Amino acid sequence: MPRTPIKLPEHVEYLSILDENAKLDQSLEPPLGADQLKTLYKYMLTARRTDERMLIMQRQGRLATFPQSSGHEAVSLGAAFAIDKNDWFVPYYRELAGMLYRGWPLENILLYWNGFEEGASVPLGVNDLPYCVPIASQLLHAVGIGMAINIKGTKQAVLTFFGDGASSEGDCHEAMNFASVFAAPVVFMCLNNQYAISVPVSHQLKSETIAQRAIAYGMDGIRVDGNDILAVYVATKEAVEKAKNGGGPTLIEALTYRLTPHTTADDPKRYRSEEEVAVWQDREPMKRFKTYLYDKKILSSSEEAQMEEEIDREIKLAVEREEKLAKGKELNDPMHIFDYLYAEVPACLQRQKDELLEYLNSAKGK
């Protein structure tokens, strides 16, 4: 019997609207108003300044090790801006800009990266999951939410994020396959910052893109310029609308670059050159979006200066609130280790709790 070719999609598209020199393709420009565009810039700037302040705090011993998000603002915020309030937002750990836009208090984020799990408490009325550090596990949670949406018959979508390193995890493949088979309304946003800690993408996979893996799963896939917030917004908006109308999941690969170390405990000079970093610093999302806004006469230097002052004040107040909470008795009571695992504390755990309480009381009397 002769071999017959199987027809597969011929290509995966790449989308860029505002290139690295802030040159705009007007035919692709989304219909966003001046206020919306300024809102985007404000949250990008808030995330960038927060990230910088957190690094200073970490170096001062006022914050634990954390992963920075500078350079990733266009991906998390552009995508978050494309979903509705009742849609679901399932992050991994570089979605600072998107989480701030979704309504997370800054002090919660600071608490979380200072080792207090209370910081992971989702604000009331927000359809989000908290940060997820275990690689790719959040994708299964996102698909579970998507399946619940299908069962309930509500018109919602789930937006979830993961990195290029996570795309090699089994959880990632299971989530995408399941979502595609059962048409779960999930948008998979791969934040490809080109390094899985110290391993470059070229050593992680042989395919040209991560987006083309969508072909194997039978879902739509697209690569976007992850430093172009307009492109991220447009691609996500299209995928979300498709998902809500029964079109199933989409894989979006947002090509960007990690301007910072993987975490504050990492030394990227050991595995990448300063010349490489310099090239990508010229392509970073904040600078090009700012140029775009100035060119459109939407933002002025005086408005930007005022924005900087307001953001600086907001961050300082959030830090004060976080440090007060972190030093308070409520978050430092050792008895809390027993209180939030079971709805009804089992007898064996209750005995341990009683023993610890007895010990603490006796220690106070010494």
PDB file of all heavy atoms in Angstrom, residues 50-76:
ATOM      1  N   THR A  50       7.301  48.500  41.236  1.00  0.00           N
ATOM      2  CA  THR A  50       7.148  47.559  42.352  1.00  0.00           C
ATOM      3  C   THR A  50       8.241  46.510  42.324  1.00  0.00           C
ATOM      4  O   THR A  50       8.845  46.176  43.354  1.00  0.00           O
ATOM      5  CB  THR A  50       5.772  46.881  42.295  1.00  0.00           C
ATOM      6  OG1 THR A  50       4.743  47.867  42.415  1.00  0.00           O
ATOM      7  CG2 THR A  50       5.617  45.857  43.410  1.00  0.00           C
ATOM      8  N   ASP A  51       8.512  45.980  41.153  1.00  0.00           N
ATOM      9  CA  ASP A  51       9.555  44.970  40.996  1.00  0.00           C
ATOM     10  C   ASP A  51      10.912  45.523  41.430  1.00  0.00           C
ATOM     11  O   ASP A  51      11.687  44.843  42.117  1.00  0.00           O
ATOM     12  CB  ASP A  51       9.600  44.528  39.530  1.00  0.00           C
ATOM     13  CG  ASP A  51      10.317  43.206  39.339  1.00  0.00           C
ATOM     14  OD1 ASP A  51       9.881  42.201  39.920  1.00  0.00           O
ATOM     15  OD2 ASP A  51      11.313  43.178  38.588  1.00  0.00           O
ATOM     16  N   GLU A  52      11.183  46.749  41.053  1.00  0.00           N
ATOM     17  CA  GLU A  52      12.447  47.386  41.428  1.00  0.00           C
ATOM     18  C   GLU A  52      12.526  47.606  42.937  1.00  0.00           C
ATOM     19  O   GLU A  52      13.582  47.381  43.556  1.00  0.00           O
ATOM     20  CB  GLU A  52      12.588  48.723  40.688  1.00  0.00           C
ATOM     21  CG  GLU A  52      12.755  48.571  39.182  1.00  0.00           C
ATOM     22  CD  GLU A  52      12.566  49.871  38.411  1.00  0.00           C
ATOM     23  OE1 GLU A  52      12.131  50.874  39.032  1.00  0.00           O
ATOM     24  OE2 GLU A  52      12.853  49.890  37.203  1.00  0.00           O
ATOM     25  N   ARG A  53      11.416  48.028  43.538  1.00  0.00           N
ATOM     26  CA  ARG A  53      11.391  48.246  44.989  1.00  0.00           C
ATOM     27  C   ARG A  53      11.544  46.924  45.743  1.00  0.00           C
ATOM     28  O   ARG A  53      12.237  46.865  46.772  1.00  0.00           O
ATOM     29  CB  ARG A  53      10.077  48.924  45.389  1.00  0.00           C
ATOM     30  CG  ARG A  53      10.015  49.361  46.859  1.00  0.00           C
ATOM     31  CD  ARG A  53      10.959  50.515  47.134  1.00  0.00           C
ATOM     32  NE  ARG A  53      10.673  51.636  46.259  1.00  0.00           N
ATOM     33  CZ  ARG A  53       9.762  52.587  46.516  1.00  0.00           C
ATOM     34  NH1 ARG A  53       9.073  52.547  47.629  1.00  0.00           N
ATOM     35  NH2 ARG A  53       9.569  53.578  45.666  1.00  0.00           N
ATOM     36  N   MET A  54      10.916  45.877  45.228  1.00  0.00           N
ATOM     37  CA  MET A  54      11.021  44.576  45.878  1.00  0.00           C
ATOM     38  C   MET A  54      12.451  44.055  45.851  1.00  0.00           C
ATOM     39  O   MET A  54      12.906  43.421  46.812  1.00  0.00           O
ATOM     40  CB  MET A  54      10.072  43.576  45.191  1.00  0.00           C
ATOM     41  CG  MET A  54       8.599  43.834  45.482  1.00  0.00           C
ATOM     42  SD  MET A  54       7.493  42.786  44.488  1.00  0.00           S
ATOM     43  CE  MET A  54       7.852  41.154  45.157  1.00  0.00           C
ATOM     44  N   LEU A  55      13.173  44.320  44.780  1.00  0.00           N
ATOM     45  CA  LEU A  55      14.571  43.896  44.716  1.00  0.00           C
ATOM     46  C   LEU A  55      15.397  44.603  45.787  1.00  0.00           C
ATOM     47  O   LEU A  55      16.219  43.971  46.464  1.00  0.00           O
ATOM     48  CB  LEU A  55      15.151  44.184  43.332  1.00  0.00           C
ATOM     49  CG  LEU A  55      16.640  43.851  43.158  1.00  0.00           C
ATOM     50  CD1 LEU A  55      16.887  42.365  43.381  1.00  0.00           C
ATOM     51  CD2 LEU A  55      17.133  44.277  41.780  1.00  0.00           C
ATOM     52  N   ILE A  56      15.170  45.895  45.961  1.00  0.00           N
ATOM     53  CA  ILE A  56      15.872  46.643  47.005  1.00  0.00           C
ATOM     54  C   ILE A  56      15.545  46.062  48.377  1.00  0.00           C
ATOM     55  O   ILE A  56      16.434  45.849  49.214  1.00  0.00           O
ATOM     56  CB  ILE A  56      15.495  48.135  46.947  1.00  0.00           C
ATOM     57  CG1 ILE A  56      16.016  48.772  45.651  1.00  0.00           C
ATOM     58  CG2 ILE A  56      16.039  48.882  48.162  1.00  0.00           C
ATOM     59  CD1 ILE A  56      15.509  50.180  45.410  1.00  0.00           C
ATOM     60  N   MET A  57      14.274  45.780  48.607  1.00  0.00           N
ATOM     61  CA  MET A  57      13.855  45.214  49.895  1.00  0.00           C
ATOM     62  C   MET A  57      14.493  43.847  50.127  1.00  0.00           C
ATOM     63  O   MET A  57      14.915  43.528  51.246  1.00  0.00           O
ATOM     64  CB  MET A  57      12.325  45.102  49.938  1.00  0.00           C
ATOM     65  CG  MET A  57      11.610  46.431  49.978  1.00  0.00           C
ATOM     66  SD  MET A  57       9.815  46.248  49.873  1.00  0.00           S
ATOM     67  CE  MET A  57       9.465  45.401  51.428  1.00  0.00           C
ATOM     68  N   GLN A  58      14.580  43.038  49.075  1.00  0.00           N
ATOM     69  CA  GLN A  58      15.184  41.714  49.222  1.00  0.00           C
ATOM     70  C   GLN A  58      16.652  41.833  49.590  1.00  0.00           C
ATOM     71  O   GLN A  58      17.151  41.104  50.455  1.00  0.00           O
ATOM     72  CB  GLN A  58      15.001  40.916  47.918  1.00  0.00           C
ATOM     73  CG  GLN A  58      15.299  39.432  48.049  1.00  0.00           C
ATOM     74  CD  GLN A  58      16.775  39.107  47.881  1.00  0.00           C
ATOM     75  OE1 GLN A  58      17.512  39.836  47.216  1.00  0.00           O
ATOM     76  NE2 GLN A  58      17.205  38.005  48.484  1.00  0.00           N
ATOM     77  N   ARG A  59      17.344  42.744  48.946  1.00  0.00           N
ATOM     78  CA  ARG A  59      18.763  42.938  49.245  1.00  0.00           C
ATOM     79  C   ARG A  59      18.974  43.493  50.653  1.00  0.00           C
ATOM     80  O   ARG A  59      20.026  43.290  51.272  1.00  0.00           O
ATOM     81  CB  ARG A  59      19.396  43.881  48.220  1.00  0.00           C
ATOM     82  CG  ARG A  59      19.385  43.350  46.783  1.00  0.00           C
ATOM     83  CD  ARG A  59      20.104  42.025  46.649  1.00  0.00           C
ATOM     84  NE  ARG A  59      20.363  41.659  45.273  1.00  0.00           N
ATOM     85  CZ  ARG A  59      19.994  40.516  44.712  1.00  0.00           C
ATOM     86  NH1 ARG A  59      19.336  39.610  45.437  1.00  0.00           N
ATOM     87  NH2 ARG A  59      20.289  40.242  43.460  1.00  0.00           N
ATOM     88  N   GLN A  60      17.978  44.183  51.174  1.00  0.00           N
ATOM     89  CA  GLN A  60      18.049  44.725  52.535  1.00  0.00           C
ATOM     90  C   GLN A  60      17.626  43.711  53.588  1.00  0.00           C
ATOM     91  O   GLN A  60      17.664  43.997  54.780  1.00  0.00           O
ATOM     92  CB  GLN A  60      17.157  45.966  52.648  1.00  0.00           C
ATOM     93  CG  GLN A  60      17.625  47.152  51.826  1.00  0.00           C
ATOM     94  CD  GLN A  60      16.615  48.292  51.842  1.00  0.00           C
ATOM     95  OE1 GLN A  60      15.415  48.087  52.044  1.00  0.00           O
ATOM     96  NE2 GLN A  60      17.097  49.513  51.626  1.00  0.00           N
ATOM     97  N   GLY A  61      17.201  42.542  53.162  1.00  0.00           N
ATOM     98  CA  GLY A  61      16.734  41.525  54.099  1.00  0.00           C
ATOM     99  C   GLY A  61      15.309  41.727  54.548  1.00  0.00           C
ATOM    100  O   GLY A  61      14.866  41.121  55.530  1.00  0.00           O
ATOM    101  N   ARG A  62      14.549  42.550  53.818  1.00  0.00           N
ATOM    102  CA  ARG A  62      13.157  42.836  54.186  1.00  0.00           C
ATOM    103  C   ARG A  62      12.169  42.024  53.358  1.00  0.00           C
ATOM    104  O   ARG A  62      10.961  42.136  53.532  1.00  0.00           O
ATOM    105  CB  ARG A  62      12.883  44.325  54.003  1.00  0.00           C
ATOM    106  CG  ARG A  62      13.706  45.216  54.911  1.00  0.00           C
ATOM    107  CD  ARG A  62      13.741  46.643  54.425  1.00  0.00           C
ATOM    108  NE  ARG A  62      12.431  47.271  54.430  1.00  0.00           N
ATOM    109  CZ  ARG A  62      12.161  48.418  53.812  1.00  0.00           C
ATOM    110  NH1 ARG A  62      13.109  49.056  53.133  1.00  0.00           N
ATOM    111  NH2 ARG A  62      10.950  48.935  53.861  1.00  0.00           N
ATOM    112  N   LEU A  63      12.669  41.194  52.458  1.00  0.00           N
ATOM    113  CA  LEU A  63      11.824  40.368  51.599  1.00  0.00           C
ATOM    114  C   LEU A  63      12.597  39.102  51.262  1.00  0.00           C
ATOM    115  O   LEU A  63      13.831  39.140  51.126  1.00  0.00           O
ATOM    116  CB  LEU A  63      11.470  41.132  50.321  1.00  0.00           C
ATOM    117  CG  LEU A  63      10.249  40.668  49.530  1.00  0.00           C
ATOM    118  CD1 LEU A  63       8.964  40.957  50.318  1.00  0.00           C
ATOM    119  CD2 LEU A  63      10.179  41.386  48.188  1.00  0.00           C
ATOM    120  N   ALA A  64      11.887  38.003  51.119  1.00  0.00           N
ATOM    121  CA  ALA A  64      12.543  36.739  50.792  1.00  0.00           C
ATOM    122  C   ALA A  64      12.863  36.675  49.296  1.00  0.00           C
ATOM    123  O   ALA A  64      12.532  37.575  48.523  1.00  0.00           O
ATOM    124  CB  ALA A  64      11.644  35.574  51.195  1.00  0.00           C
ATOM    125  N   THR A  65      13.504  35.590  48.889  1.00  0.00           N
ATOM    126  CA  THR A  65      13.803  35.380  47.476  1.00  0.00           C
ATOM    127  C   THR A  65      12.516  35.388  46.661  1.00  0.00           C
ATOM    128  O   THR A  65      11.511  34.807  47.063  1.00  0.00           O
ATOM    129  CB  THR A  65      14.526  34.033  47.286  1.00  0.00           C
ATOM    130  OG1 THR A  65      15.787  34.102  47.953  1.00  0.00           O
ATOM    131  CG2 THR A  65      14.752  33.729  45.827  1.00  0.00           C
ATOM    132  N   PHE A  66      12.545  36.045  45.499  1.00  0.00           N
ATOM    133  CA  PHE A  66      11.352  36.091  44.653  1.00  0.00           C
ATOM    134  C   PHE A  66      11.763  36.183  43.191  1.00  0.00           C
ATOM    135  O   PHE A  66      12.888  36.595  42.873  1.00  0.00           O
ATOM    136  CB  PHE A  66      10.457  37.279  45.038  1.00  0.00           C
ATOM    137  CG  PHE A  66      10.992  38.619  44.595  1.00  0.00           C
ATOM    138  CD1 PHE A  66      10.548  39.208  43.407  1.00  0.00           C
ATOM    139  CD2 PHE A  66      11.946  39.297  45.342  1.00  0.00           C
ATOM    140  CE1 PHE A  66      11.041  40.433  42.995  1.00  0.00           C
ATOM    141  CE2 PHE A  66      12.452  40.528  44.935  1.00  0.00           C
ATOM    142  CZ  PHE A  66      11.989  41.095  43.750  1.00  0.00           C
ATOM    143  N   PRO A  67      10.882  35.818  42.266  1.00  0.00           N
ATOM    144  CA  PRO A  67      11.173  35.953  40.839  1.00  0.00           C
ATOM    145  C   PRO A  67      10.749  37.326  40.344  1.00  0.00           C
ATOM    146  O   PRO A  67       9.609  37.743  40.541  1.00  0.00           O
ATOM    147  CB  PRO A  67      10.305  34.852  40.205  1.00  0.00           C
ATOM    148  CG  PRO A  67       9.140  34.731  41.139  1.00  0.00           C
ATOM    149  CD  PRO A  67       9.631  35.086  42.514  1.00  0.00           C
ATOM    150  N   GLN A  68      11.647  38.039  39.716  1.00  0.00           N
ATOM    151  CA  GLN A  68      11.301  39.365  39.201  1.00  0.00           C
ATOM    152  C   GLN A  68      10.450  39.257  37.929  1.00  0.00           C
ATOM    153  O   GLN A  68      10.440  38.232  37.247  1.00  0.00           O
ATOM    154  CB  GLN A  68      12.569  40.164  38.920  1.00  0.00           C
ATOM    155  CG  GLN A  68      13.304  40.598  40.184  1.00  0.00           C
ATOM    156  CD  GLN A  68      14.475  41.512  39.884  1.00  0.00           C
ATOM    157  OE1 GLN A  68      15.609  41.066  39.803  1.00  0.00           O
ATOM    158  NE2 GLN A  68      14.190  42.790  39.705  1.00  0.00           N
ATOM    159  N   SER A  69       9.750  40.324  37.635  1.00  0.00           N
ATOM    160  CA  SER A  69       8.842  40.318  36.484  1.00  0.00           C
ATOM    161  C   SER A  69       9.148  41.420  35.478  1.00  0.00           C
ATOM    162  O   SER A  69       8.429  41.568  34.491  1.00  0.00           O
ATOM    163  CB  SER A  69       7.392  40.460  36.964  1.00  0.00           C
ATOM    164  OG  SER A  69       7.204  41.687  37.650  1.00  0.00           O
ATOM    165  N   SER A  70      10.213  42.206  35.700  1.00  0.00           N
ATOM    166  CA  SER A  70      10.546  43.284  34.769  1.00  0.00           C
ATOM    167  C   SER A  70      10.803  42.720  33.369  1.00  0.00           C
ATOM    168  O   SER A  70      11.559  41.767  33.201  1.00  0.00           O
ATOM    169  CB  SER A  70      11.787  44.040  35.254  1.00  0.00           C
ATOM    170  OG  SER A  70      11.500  44.776  36.414  1.00  0.00           O
ATOM    171  N   GLY A  71      10.151  43.341  32.386  1.00  0.00           N
ATOM    172  CA  GLY A  71      10.260  42.874  31.012  1.00  0.00           C
ATOM    173  C   GLY A  71       9.123  41.986  30.575  1.00  0.00           C
ATOM    174  O   GLY A  71       8.952  41.709  29.385  1.00  0.00           O
ATOM    175  N   HIS A  72       8.319  41.545  31.543  1.00  0.00           N
ATOM    176  CA  HIS A  72       7.202  40.640  31.245  1.00  0.00           C
ATOM    177  C   HIS A  72       5.843  41.338  31.316  1.00  0.00           C
ATOM    178  O   HIS A  72       4.805  40.695  31.180  1.00  0.00           O
ATOM    179  CB  HIS A  72       7.200  39.463  32.230  1.00  0.00           C
ATOM    180  CG  HIS A  72       8.460  38.651  32.210  1.00  0.00           C
ATOM    181  ND1 HIS A  72       9.604  39.048  32.848  1.00  0.00           N
ATOM    182  CD2 HIS A  72       8.759  37.467  31.621  1.00  0.00           C
ATOM    183  CE1 HIS A  72      10.548  38.140  32.665  1.00  0.00           C
ATOM    184  NE2 HIS A  72      10.067  37.184  31.921  1.00  0.00           N
ATOM    185  N   GLU A  73       5.853  42.641  31.528  1.00  0.00           N
ATOM    186  CA  GLU A  73       4.600  43.367  31.777  1.00  0.00           C
ATOM    187  C   GLU A  73       3.619  43.290  30.618  1.00  0.00           C
ATOM    188  O   GLU A  73       2.404  43.196  30.818  1.00  0.00           O
ATOM    189  CB  GLU A  73       4.901  44.839  32.085  1.00  0.00           C
ATOM    190  CG  GLU A  73       5.733  45.069  33.331  1.00  0.00           C
ATOM    191  CD  GLU A  73       7.219  45.102  33.063  1.00  0.00           C
ATOM    192  OE1 GLU A  73       7.634  44.802  31.914  1.00  0.00           O
ATOM    193  OE2 GLU A  73       7.978  45.437  33.996  1.00  0.00           O
ATOM    194  N   ALA A  74       4.126  43.328  29.395  1.00  0.00           N
ATOM    195  CA  ALA A  74       3.234  43.328  28.235  1.00  0.00           C
ATOM    196  C   ALA A  74       2.447  42.039  28.126  1.00  0.00           C
ATOM    197  O   ALA A  74       1.291  42.041  27.695  1.00  0.00           O
ATOM    198  CB  ALA A  74       4.040  43.562  26.948  1.00  0.00           C
ATOM    199  N   VAL A  75       3.061  40.930  28.528  1.00  0.00           N
ATOM    200  CA  VAL A  75       2.385  39.632  28.418  1.00  0.00           C
ATOM    201  C   VAL A  75       1.268  39.517  29.446  1.00  0.00           C
ATOM    202  O   VAL A  75       0.109  39.270  29.114  1.00  0.00           O
ATOM    203  CB  VAL A  75       3.376  38.466  28.580  1.00  0.00           C
ATOM    204  CG1 VAL A  75       2.645  37.135  28.421  1.00  0.00           C
ATOM    205  CG2 VAL A  75       4.501  38.570  27.561  1.00  0.00           C
ATOM    206  N   SER A  76       1.606  39.705  30.715  1.00  0.00           N
ATOM    207  CA  SER A  76       0.593  39.485  31.750  1.00  0.00           C
ATOM    208  C   SER A  76      -0.514  40.535  31.707  1.00  0.00           C
ATOM    209  O   SER A  76      -1.694  40.221  31.856  1.00  0.00           O
ATOM    210  CB  SER A  76       1.235  39.455  33.141  1.00  0.00           C
ATOM    211  OG  SER A  76       1.727  40.715  33.522  1.00  0.00           O
TER     212      SER A  76
END
